[in-house]
Every structure is written in C-alpha cells, then in structure tokens.
Amino acid sequence: MPGTTLPPVPHYEPPSVTKEDVDWAEFPLIDLSKAKTPEGRAELAPVVRDAMRTHGFLYVVNHGLTQAQTDRYFDIADMPFAQVPEEEKKQLAGKIVENGSYRGYKARRLWTIDNGVRDEIEHYNLHRPIFQQQHPKALQPFLPELRSLTEHNHYNVLFPILRMLALGLELPEETFVNLHRFEDEGETYLRYMKYFPYQTETDEARVKNVWLKGHTDIGSITILWSQPVTALQIMSPDGKWRYVKHIPNGLVVNAGDSMEMLSGGFYKATIHRVVQPPTDQRGRTRLGMFYFAIPSDDVKLVPLAESPVLQRVGITRKCADEDAPTAREWRMARTRAYGLSELQRRDDVVEEQVLNGVVLKHYN
Ligand SMILES: O=C(O)CCC(=O)C(=O)O
Ligand SMILES: [Fe+2]
C-alpha cells in the first residue's frame, strides 16, 4: 500500500537453516515471472506438467513479492498464535465437525496421531472473503494486507499454475481457472499453522517422530510458503520419504485429491508428512503459511475426459463418475474425518478409510 505506513508487527525469528545432511527430494523449479506471457506459459507448461505428473510437487520462485514483503507476512502469521488470548481463540474456534470447515482456529490436540498421542499443531484459517469472517482483535489492523496476500496467492500464483496445468492436458487455458473463481462459493483459504514440539520424549517416540501424519491434500493445489525448518517430507516415486528443501522467498506447490480426480489420475496427489526437525533445529516452533485451493463447491470431481492427453494415456478413476463427490462433499467429508475418525490398519505404515465411496490412505 504505497504512501501509507503499515502498522507495526512483532518480529518472528525462525531457526536458521539446518546444517545437517539429509536426504532431499528432487523435483523441478520454475521462474513464475515467465508465466505472465502466453509464450512464457507455453515454455513452462511441460515442466509443470511433468513435475505434477511424476512428483506431484514443484518449487516456484519469482512469485512477485519481495523477501521483505514475505518476511512481514510471516511476522503477521505469528500474531494469531502469539498475540491472541486463549479465551478469544476458543470463541473463534472453527466448527470443524459441525460445518466440515476449518474456518477459524484449530486447537492443539484435536487430532490423534498414533498410539493415543495427540497433535501439537495450532491452525488459523482465513476464508477468502476476509472481511466477512470474525477475526481476533490483534489481527484487525492487518486485514487489508491479508486480503492483498489472499488475492496475490489466488490471482498471481494459483491462476498461472492452473493455466499451465490445463495446457499440460491440452485443454483451453482457462479450464481449471473457471473451476476456481475467487467469488464462487467454496473453501479456498489462507492458513497459518504453528507446530510445537511434543511435550515429552515419550510422546515423540510413541509417534515415531511424526508431527503430521502422511496424507494427501483435499483440494486441487496447495501453495506452501517456504520456511526454514526442515520437517516436511514427501513420499518419492521409489517409496522413500525425502525432505523438501527451503527456498528463500520461494514456494512449494503441490497437487491434492481434487486435482488428481479432475485430471483422471494424470496429476498426482502425492503423500507428504511432517516429522521432528533435525537436531540443530529442535525444541523450537515451526511457523507455516499456506494457501489451500479447493475447486468451487458445486464442481463435480470427475475426470476432464475431453482432454486429448487423457484420451491418449487413459483415465484412472477413484470411483464411478455418477458416484463422484462434488468439491463441497469431498472437502466436508475429509475435514470432518481427518484425525478424528477410525482408520482401518492395513500394515505397519498404512491405514485406510472410505469417504464418499473413495478409498483414502494415511501413512505413519
Ligand atoms: O507444514 C507443512 O510443511 C505441511 C502441512 C501440510 O501438509 C498440510 O497442512 O496439509
Ligand atoms: Fe498437506
């Protein structure tokens, strides 16, 4: 906001990057500034297509915000946790089970991780019509900036990625964009997430150092603002867990269930999880900032069978088209069930459940 003085915000200092040598996941990186022109999108589209088809993950740089702007957004991201009294957080708790929506706070220890141990993760979820939601007092001065951040994620990051994913399927460029209109009914939202270490070593051992169980994301595209605490792992195509690298002022973009369903299995909703950080980053909190895109509520999650690419390579369905859930049914069922419902144990690692006729896997 040029010409205006931004309200002061306490600084959040994350741990320095790890010096430990861990097994890093390798997947492509794109310069998003190139996606502003049709020629640039045509050049990047095959890279985005192959990344999302093979890995389900992509690194993004040059998304349009400076390092200083991103740093300020991370400072603001800590406000809902560090500057809001517990009583006010309770009043603004999301009606997760009642409404099948994360809007508002998710308290620590709501979910079961493993062996009776509960999570230590706090969320604050801002629905995209930012001004229609009640927010904590401490966040009020920052709402215009959060509205800008939401729009930036939606129009300057999500839309170019969706356009390139459509090109990758040889579909009209606006195909996915039209299923994610900012003003439509739906649950695309900005999420702040703060991980606290487990309170005892016993708990840490009982969950085998898992902080957030292996899962796929509900929506179409997740935009993760890269932060320095090394803890996010993806399951590589060879079945091994590997760490996602921190890219300063970069983004990590991944596909979720809704994208996998719309693309008939072409783009992969890759399993990922969060584990205890390396020794030189232990004992600290981990602050995350995300934009979770979910298609508009009335979008039926059936494969876009008109894609010439899908006609050539074939379609993988998770259920028959007539049984396919809408984006609304899917996100509500998954939100209600996540961390709160009984899972069927398949082996040491995998647990399963069936939602809307679709088999869903969870990994420890
Ligand atoms: O904290 C992270 O890095 C990943 C979080 C995540 O996977 C999720 O909230 O779906
Ligand atoms: Fe996730």
Side-chain angles (χ1 to χ4, degrees):
M1 279 166 280
T4 58
T5 313
L6 296 173
V9 55
H11 177 54
Y12 176 84
E13 186 64 34
S16 318
V17 287
T18 182
K19 294 191 176 58
E20 279 181 39
D21 185 24
V22 303
D23 201 3
W24 298 110
E26 298 283 342
F27 49 86
L29 177 147
I30 61 157
D31 174 350
L32 195 63
S33 65
K34 289 188 184 171
K36 288 192 182 118
T37 64
E39 299 74 31
R41 289 196 292 280
E43 181 195 324
L44 295 179
V47 183
V48 173
R49 176 196 63 206
D50 294 345
M52 289 310 204
R53 180 155 168 67
T54 314
H55 307 275
F57 270 78
L58 175 73
Y59 291 114
V60 170
V61 293
N62 293 332
H63 49 71
L65 296 191
T66 62
Q67 181 73 62
Q69 285 173 308
T70 302
D71 289 348
R72 178 169 166 90
Y73 277 126
F74 269 100
D75 289 346
I76 298 172
D78 196 36
M79 301 283 295
F81 310 114
Q83 307 295 331
V84 177
E86 290 307 313
E87 201 39 51
E88 199 182 357
K89 289 182 185 173
K90 273 198 200 121
Q91 282 161 11
L92 297 173
K95 302 207 169 16
I96 297 174
V97 176
E98 299 91 312
N99 295 351
S101 160
Y102 284 119
R103 210 174 300 185
Y105 280 97
K106 183 209 83 72
R108 282 158 80 174
R109 306 196 196 113
L110 177 74
W111 299 327
T112 298
I113 302 285
D114 205 9
N115 287 319
V117 179
R118 302 278 185 134
D119 74 279
E120 293 290 353
I121 308 164
E122 205 174 347
H123 282 179
Y124 187 64
N125 298 284
L126 298 96
H127 193 42
R128 42 190 212 297
I130 296 252
F131 295 103
Q132 289 169 27
Q133 184 179 341
Q134 202 192 337
H135 297 287
K137 211 183 288 135
L139 219 51
Q140 298 293 334
F142 307 101
L143 295 183
E145 285 172 87
L146 297 186
R147 169 76 191 197
S148 304
L149 177 62
T150 304
E151 288 177 2
H152 180 70
N153 275 286
H154 206 97
Y155 294 114
N156 303 336
V157 184
L158 174 66
F159 275 7
I161 299 281
L162 290 177
R163 288 191 177 108
M164 293 187 283
L165 290 174
L167 290 178
L169 290 172
E170 297 172 21
L171 287 167
E173 241 193 3
E174 299 301 297
T175 304
F176 287 122
V177 164
N178 289 335
L179 307 180
H180 292 80
R181 290 278 158 216
F182 191 87
E183 48 296 334
D184 282 356
E185 280 297 312
E187 275 268 312
T188 294
Y189 53 82
L190 193 63
R191 173 185 295 173
Y192 297 127
M193 201 161 173
K194 195 164 184 178
Y195 294 74
F196 296 80
Y198 287 110
Q199 291 176 7
T200 65
E201 282 305 319
T202 324
D203 280 356
E204 191 77 64
R206 278 163 72 200
V207 295
K208 303 193 195 79
N209 310 108
V210 171
W211 286 15
L212 180 69
K213 276 164 102 94
H215 65 279
T216 54
D217 288 344
I218 303 172
S220 45
I221 290 294
T222 303
I223 301 164
L224 220 139
W225 287 71
S226 188
Q227 56 72 48
V229 181
T230 293
L232 174 62
Q233 296 184 319
I234 68 171
M235 193 179 271
S236 303
D238 65 3
K240 291 211 173 82
W241 292 109
R242 290 198 175 83
Y243 287 93
V244 171
K245 227 177 271 171
H246 170 49
I247 310 266
N249 200 22
L251 308 172
V252 178
V253 169
N254 68 280
D257 300 335
S258 304
M259 180 53 73
E260 187 168 306
M261 290 192 247
L262 288 170
S263 71
F266 190 79
Y267 296 129
K268 301 284 179 308
T270 295
I271 293 146
H272 53 282
R273 67 177 186 180
V274 176
V275 298
Q276 186 186 38
T279 7
D280 58 358
Q281 293 183 324
R282 269 186 209 162
R284 302 277 302 270
T285 53
R286 177 175 182 272
L287 182 66
M289 179 161 88
F290 306 82
Y291 195 65
F292 283 93
I294 302 182
S296 308
D297 266 356
D298 57 4
V299 172
K300 206 165 158 62
L301 299 175
V302 291
L304 296 163
E306 66 275 26
S307 154
V309 175
L310 295 190
Q311 286 166 15
R312 289 199 298 274
V313 305
I315 290 176
T316 311
R317 286 183 169 79
K318 284 187 184 289
C319 61
D321 285 359
E322 57 272 25
D323 301 331
T326 60
R328 180 171 195 272
E329 285 163 347
W330 185 246
R331 54 115 173 140
M332 287 178 75
R334 281 221 46 197
T335 302
R336 285 188 172 126
Y338 187 80
L340 296 166
S341 59
E342 281 293 316
L343 302 175
Q344 234 22 61
R345 186 161 280 289
R346 286 283 164 249
D347 55 42
D348 251 15
V349 182
V350 181
E351 290 166 294
E352 273 182 11
Q353 74 188 139
V354 178
L355 290 178
N356 293 80
V358 176
V359 179
L360 192 74
K361 290 185 182 349
H362 300 262
Y363 290 69
N364 274 323

